[in-house]
Amino acid sequence: MKFIVGTKQNMTQFFAEDGRAFAGTVLKVEPMVVAQVKGKEKDGYSAVMVGFGGAQKVERVSKAVRGHLKEIAPTKGLKEFRVSEEEAKAFARAQSIDVSIFNPGDIVEVSAITKGKGFQGVVKRHGFAGGPRTHGQKHSEREAGSIGATWPQRVIKNKRMPGRMGGDRVTIKNLRVLGVDAAANLILISGAIPGRRGTFVEVRGRN
C-alpha cells in the first residue's frame, strides 16, 4: 500500500503529451519516517505509524512522544495507516518514505480538513434558494422559511438550519497523480483537494 502526507500548496494547470489540459493541486511532501510497525499479535491490528511534516523542535514534543520515538528525530505529526499483515512486512522502523513511491498515472484518494467558514446561513450552508425578491418581501430574501409543522409541535431533528460550516474531514476518491518531482519533494494530483494552503493532506494509493 502506498501512502504519504503532504501540505497543500496551490492549484495549477498540467498539459499532457496529447495537449489536453488538466487542473491539478500541488502538494509539498517532506520525507516521512516510520516510527512504529504494528502487528496483530502484539497490538491487535496491522498498521504503520509514520512521522510527517518535517523536523520539529524537541521542546515542542511531549515526553511521552519523545520516549516513543526514542532515537528517531521528532516530527510535526504522527499518523497511522492501516495495512495488511503482508504489507506491514515491507516496512521497518526508522525507514524513510518519500514522494518517489508514487508514479504518474497512479489512482489515489486524498483526505483533508476543509476550510472553516464560521457561522453561515442556510443559503450558503445548504444551498437554499431563499424567498422571492418582490411581492412584499422586505427582509426575508435569505431566510430559511418555516421550520415547524402542525404535528408534532416541535422542530424535527436534523433540520437543515444555520450553523457552523466547514472544518470537516473530507475524502475524495479516484484522483490521478499527474506528476512527481522527487528532487523538489512535490507531487501534482488532479482536481481540487479540500483545505486551505498549508493543510496536511493524506494521500493513499488504491490497491
Side-chain angles (χ1 to χ4, degrees):
M1 180 182 179
K2 300 178 182 180
F3 50 81
I4 204 84
V5 179
T7 54
K8 181 177 177 180
Q9 300 298 303
N10 57 278
M11 291 195 69
T12 186
Q13 273 190 321
F14 175 81
F15 292 91
E17 293 181 357
D18 58 3
R20 291 185 299 166
F22 296 91
T25 304
V26 179
L27 301 181
K28 177 79 171 178
V29 181
E30 298 291 342
M32 302 189 306
V33 59
V34 176
Q36 184 182 5
V37 180
K38 295 191 174 184
K40 284 189 176 181
E41 291 185 5
K42 184 177 180 180
D43 304 290
Y45 63 96
S46 297
V48 177
M49 179 186 290
V50 295
F52 64 88
Q56 178 65 284
K57 293 181 179 179
V58 176
E59 57 267 23
R60 292 182 178 176
V61 179
S62 68
K63 288 184 179 179
V65 173
R66 268 183 265 170
H68 178 66
L69 296 176
K70 295 180 181 176
E71 73 282 358
I72 299 174
T75 56
K76 291 183 179 178
L78 291 173
K79 171 68 183 175
E80 275 190 12
F81 290 91
R82 292 292 187 99
V83 296
S84 66
E85 288 188 79
E86 289 299 318
E87 291 171 335
K89 294 177 182 178
F91 298 92
R93 182 175 168 83
Q95 174 186 343
S96 180
I97 303 174
D98 60 25
V99 73
S100 62
I101 61 173
F102 288 99
N103 300 305
D106 287 350
I107 303 300
V108 297
E109 65 177 47
V110 301
S111 299
I113 304 299
T114 60
K115 291 180 180 179
K117 300 181 185 297
F119 193 97
Q120 299 297 333
V122 292
V123 173
K124 181 167 182 175
R125 193 182 189 206
H126 300 296
F128 282 19
R133 268 51 177 173
T134 58
H135 299 288
Q137 290 280 18
K138 195 170 184 180
H139 303 297
S140 319
E141 289 188 358
R142 296 174 68 90
E143 287 186 0
S146 174
I147 61 172
T150 302
W151 184 90
Q153 289 83 5
R154 58 182 173 82
V155 177
I156 299 171
K157 284 185 178 181
N158 301 319
K159 192 76 172 175
R160 290 183 297 172
M161 297 180 72
R164 290 195 58 161
M165 182 180 177
D168 301 314
R169 178 182 167 88
V170 172
T171 298
I172 301 179
K173 299 182 178 181
N174 297 325
L175 300 181
R176 187 179 301 275
V177 176
L178 298 177
V180 176
D181 187 344
N185 294 327
L186 298 175
I187 182 171
L188 178 62
I189 299 177
S190 64
I193 289 176
R196 59 170 177 80
R197 293 190 183 193
T199 297
F200 283 115
V201 179
E202 302 166 22
V203 182
R204 292 177 293 276
R206 192 175 68 180
N207 294 332

